[in-house]
Amino acid sequence: MREVECHCGAVRITLLEPSETVTSCNCSICRRYGALWSYGTLETIKVTAPSGGLEEYAWGEKGLAFVRCRGCGCVTHWESRSAEYPDRIAANMRNASPEDLLKLGVRRFDGAETWTYLD
Ligand SMILES: [Zn+2]
């Protein structure tokens, strides 16, 4: 289990089966956020936030919603809005402690073009 929280502490994410690697994606949104994603499902990644404490951004076909804390603005996770994969979620491990971040391997994913890992 691993826990991360946003800068102000309002949003907490618990990863019940955390991966040892995170993904750095170069797509149009991930590269701008600078996020490092740990993927899971609604069963393995739990988000706790106060009522009204989250804001989200989606574009295009709106298959994913990128969620941030309304208080401090940190991007905390994305959630699927797709009917095909409704339980998909990923936590932004940039919210982890420096000690935990050091332990994580980073994989580079080409979300911009080929949808394959570059390493
Ligand atoms: Zn916050």
Side-chain angles (χ1 to χ4, degrees), residues 5-11 53 68-74 76:
E5 63 179 26
C6 68
H7 193 263
C8 74
V11 183
R68 61 187 178 269
C69 172
R70 189 183 291 274
C72 65
C74 292
T76 53

Side-chain angles (χ1 to χ4, degrees), residues 42 61-65 78-88:
L42 296 176
E61 296 175 6
K62 298 189 178 2
L64 291 182
W78 62 247
E79 293 175 0
S80 173
R81 292 289 180 266
S82 149
E84 201 174 349
Y85 306 105
D87 67 336
R88 301 288 294 280

Side-chain angles (χ1 to χ4, degrees), residues 25-85:
C25 173
N26 65 0
C27 83
S28 63
I29 192 74
C30 293
R31 70 173 187 257
R32 287 177 166 89
Y33 284 152
L36 293 173
W37 301 115
S38 182
Y39 303 109
T41 68
L42 296 176
E43 290 295 310
T44 62
I45 296 179
K46 305 286 188 185
V47 179
T48 306
S51 176
L54 298 173
E55 295 177 322
E56 61 181 60
Y57 175 71
W59 82 101
E61 296 175 6
K62 298 189 178 2
L64 291 182
F66 290 82
V67 185
R68 61 187 178 269
C69 172
R70 189 183 291 274
C72 65
C74 292
V75 174
T76 53
H77 62 291
W78 62 247
E79 293 175 0
S80 173
R81 292 289 180 266
S82 149
E84 201 174 349
Y85 306 105

